Amino acid sequence: MKIIIEDHFLLSAWTALTNCLSPFLPFYLQNRCKKGKEIPNRLKERQGYPTQSRPAGSIIQFHAASVGELVSIFSVIKAIHIQDSSQSFLITTGTVTSFRILENFISHHPILTRHIIHQFIPLDIPQWINRFLTYWHPSLIVLAESEIWPNLIKEACQKKIPLALINGRLSDRSLKNWKVCPSLIQNILSRFQWIVSQSEHDQNNFAHLQITTDYLGNLKQTAQKLHFNSQELVELENYFNNSPIWLAASTHPNEETLIAKTHAVLRKKWPNLITIIVPRHPERGQEIINEIGMVAQRSKHELPFENGLWLCDTLGELGLFYRLADIVFIGNSLDVVHKGGGHNPFEAARLNCTIATGPKIHNFRQAYYHLQKAVTIIHTIDDLTNWVDKMLSDPQLRKKQACLALEIMEQKSNLATDIGTHLLKLARQSI
C-alpha cells in the first residue's frame, strides 16, 4: 500500500487549523441542532463517538454527502452483497436528509438491513477522525464524487486503510481552483488506491492535474428505480381521473415563477391541467407561495385547488410523482437560476418519463450527453410552454422519447457489478 510520509504544507496547515477550531465546534453543532440540521441524540457521532456496535469481520465504509451521491452507491452495495453476503457496510452521511433517504432504502431492502450501519460522519478534526477510525477500522473507505476530507484521508493512510473514490467528479470550476495549487490535490489524491471518474470529461480534468483515473461509466445511470407508495399512486390516479399532468422536478428559486406562468398559459388550452412543482429543497414551500400565490401544499395534505397548481414540498416522494406524471422538466437549469448546474436526469429516465431541462446543466453535462436526443433543452418560457403542449398533444411522441431514454439507461447494466467487484478486492487485500 502506498503511504505518503510528508504532508503538503497546506495540508499540514489545515490539520493545525482544525485542531485550533475543535474547542469551538461543539457549539457550532449545538446551533445546527437547534435549526433541525442534526439529530440531538446522535450529535456525538459528529465528534467520532460511535452509537452502535461494530460487527465482527470486514466492514466497508461508504461516504456520500448529497442525496444523489447516496442513491448512486446503493447499486454498488447491492452488487457487493450478491458477491459476498457476509460483508458489512458502514454508510456515513453529513445531513439528516441523506439519513432519511437511507432509512427509506433499508426499509425496502430488508435482506440488507442487518448488514448496514449508519453513522453521521465526524467533522474533519484529527482527534475526532482518529477516534472514529480507531473504533470502526473499515477494511476500505469509499468516497463518492467529490468528497475530499483531508484529515480523514490522512488518518486512513496512517492506519493503512485503503481509499477509493468512485463516480469521481472534477468540474471545470474545481479544476481552475486546483490549478492554483496543483501539488495539494496531487498530494491528497495520490493516497487513493483507486479513482474511477463518472465521465470522460471528469477523467480529462483529473488528467490535467496529473491524476490517473479509470472511466467505466456514471454510477447514477445504474441507480435503482426510486421508491414510491403504490397505494398513494392508485389514489392519486383515481383522484385526477386522467387529467393532463406534468411535473417540474427539483426546482430552484425563480424557476417556480416561470413554471406558474407556463401553467397559466397552458390552462387556456388544457383547462383541467395539473402542474406539479417539486422544489429541490422542500423547506422553501412558504417562500414559493409568497412568489406565485396561494397553491395547494402536499406538506399540509392538500390536493390541488381549482387553479390546478400543486406544490409538493415533501421529501422522498419524487418516485411517486415521476410515475404520476410522465412529462418532466428538471430544474436548477434555467437562466433565471443564480448558479444552476442541473440535476440528475437518470432517475426520471429509468421511470419512462419524457424529459426536458434548461441549458445550465454543467454539473450533469456527461449525463445529458449520454441521453442526447432523449432530452429536450428549454431556453425560454415559450420553449417550455410549447414543449409541454406538444407532449400533451402527442402521446406517441412522448412514448418514443421515453423509450429512447430507457434504452440508453440499459447500456450500463453491469457497471455497479464491475465497480463492486474491484472494491471488494481492495477490501480483501487489506485484511
Side-chain angles (χ1 to χ4, degrees):
M1 175 175 177
K2 184 178 180 182
I3 300 178
I4 297 177
I5 303 299
E6 294 185 4
D7 287 333
H8 190 280
F9 74 95
L10 286 177
L11 182 56
S12 296
W14 170 253
T15 300
L17 175 63
T18 51
N19 273 325
C20 291
L21 290 174
S22 60
F24 307 98
L25 290 176
F27 300 102
Y28 164 75
L29 291 172
Q30 287 291 346
N31 188 51
R32 281 178 57 86
C33 223
K34 293 176 182 177
K35 295 179 180 179
K37 295 182 178 181
E38 302 285 349
I39 298 176
N41 64 357
R42 298 186 60 181
L43 202 58
K44 61 183 182 180
E45 292 175 25
R46 300 291 261 154
Q47 297 182 55
Y49 291 104
T51 57
Q52 294 191 54
S53 299
R54 188 199 190 283
S58 169
I59 186 167
I60 298 177
Q61 178 189 350
F62 281 85
H63 177 68
S66 71
V67 171
E69 292 167 10
L70 180 63
V71 171
S72 71
I73 68 173
F74 290 156
S75 58
V76 177
I77 289 173
K78 290 173 69 175
I80 293 175
H81 177 73
I82 290 172
Q83 296 177 59
D84 183 355
S85 60
S86 66
Q87 179 63 56
S88 297
F89 304 95
L90 172 66
I91 300 182
T92 54
T93 64
T95 67
V96 175
T97 300
S98 295
F99 167 58
R100 300 301 182 204
I101 296 296
L102 175 60
E103 279 188 315
N104 187 52
F105 170 78
I106 292 175
S107 70
H108 287 85
H109 296 83
I111 294 177
L112 281 172
T113 300
R114 62 189 180 92
H115 298 282
I116 292 178
I117 296 171
H118 174 266
Q119 296 281 274
F120 286 105
I121 192 75
L123 298 186
D124 202 41
I125 306 301
Q127 182 181 353
W128 299 0
I129 292 293
N130 179 65
R131 181 184 296 135
F132 173 85
L133 291 181
T134 298
Y135 180 82
W136 293 105
H137 203 87
S139 304
L140 171 68
I141 297 175
V142 184
L143 305 181
E145 295 203 13
S146 55
E147 278 295 285
I148 305 301
W149 291 64
N151 288 325
L152 174 65
I153 293 167
K154 178 181 175 181
E155 291 288 334
C157 272
Q158 290 178 348
K159 295 181 183 300
K160 299 185 179 181
I161 301 169
L163 293 152
L165 178 65
I166 61 172
N167 231 35
R169 183 163 64 90
L170 185 65
S171 67
D172 294 341
R173 181 183 300 174
S174 296
L175 173 62
K176 183 179 179 180
N177 292 337
W178 282 118
K179 277 185 174 179
V180 175
C181 189
S183 59
L184 174 59
I185 191 65
Q186 290 166 2
N187 182 287
I188 293 173
L189 292 184
S190 62
R191 304 172 187 235
F192 283 75
Q193 276 58 52
W194 191 43
I195 300 175
V196 55
S197 301
Q198 71 172 240
S199 74
E200 292 173 320
H201 184 80
D202 291 290
Q203 185 181 38
N204 290 334
N205 281 352
F206 278 113
H208 281 304
L209 295 173
Q210 299 179 10
I211 298 166
T212 301
T213 68
D214 290 333
Y215 167 64
L216 304 177
N218 191 331
L219 262 179
K220 290 180 178 177
Q221 197 169 341
T222 71
Q224 299 297 303
K225 293 180 180 179
L226 294 177
H227 300 299
F228 73 111
N229 185 312
S230 58
Q231 183 178 345
E232 287 271 8
L233 180 60
V234 171
E235 290 175 357
L236 289 172
E237 287 175 337
N238 290 336
Y239 177 81
F240 290 124
N241 192 27
N242 295 321
S243 294
I245 305 174
W246 74 289
L247 165 67
S250 299
T251 58
H252 282 241
N254 299 321
E255 287 183 319
E256 292 90 5
T257 301
L258 295 186
I259 300 301
K261 290 179 179 178
T262 297
H263 173 77
V265 173
L266 288 167
R267 265 256 170 164
K268 296 174 183 177
K269 179 177 179 180
W270 304 90
N272 297 322
L273 179 67
I274 302 297
T275 295
I276 302 173
I277 300 175
V278 179
R280 179 66 174 181
H281 303 288
E283 66 273 14
R284 292 184 52 243
Q286 188 56 52
E287 171 193 325
I288 295 169
I289 289 175
N290 292 340
E291 291 179 0
I292 68 175
M294 289 301 298
V295 297
Q297 287 180 267
R298 182 160 175 81
S299 63
K300 295 182 178 179
H301 309 290
E302 296 172 342
L303 289 166
F305 302 149
E306 189 175 342
N307 65 6
L309 277 172
W310 194 20
L311 177 58
C312 293
D313 50 344
T314 53
L315 184 65
E317 290 196 302
L318 206 47
L320 172 66
F321 301 124
Y322 278 154
R323 289 171 171 87
L324 184 63
D326 59 1
I327 301 172
V328 176
F329 170 81
I330 299 176
N332 194 32
S333 59
L334 291 172
D335 287 332
V336 294
V337 178
H338 176 54
K339 291 183 179 179
H343 280 299
N344 178 16
F346 292 146
E347 296 167 338
R350 191 166 290 282
L351 289 172
N352 297 301
C353 293
T354 305
I355 305 167
T357 191
K360 298 174 76 170
I361 50 175
H362 44 272
N363 289 341
F364 293 86
R365 181 188 293 110
Q366 196 74 11
Y368 284 103
Y369 174 78
H370 280 306
L371 292 175
Q372 294 186 15
K373 294 180 180 180
V375 176
T376 301
I377 303 298
I378 300 296
H379 292 275
T380 67
I381 188 172
D382 288 339
D383 289 344
L384 182 59
T385 304
N386 292 333
W387 177 76
V388 176
D389 179 47
K390 188 175 183 179
M391 293 302 107
L392 290 171
S393 303
D394 193 341
Q396 287 302 114
L397 175 61
R398 193 163 79 229
K399 183 178 180 180
K400 179 181 178 181
Q401 290 293 100
C403 287
L404 177 59
L406 191 57
E407 287 173 7
I408 295 170
M409 293 292 293
E410 300 286 326
Q411 294 171 5
K412 290 293 182 180
S413 57
N414 294 324
L415 177 59
T417 299
D418 294 341
I419 291 177
T421 299
H422 196 98
L423 293 177
L424 191 56
K425 181 179 178 181
L426 285 175
R428 288 171 173 170
Q429 288 174 350
S430 71
I431 299 175

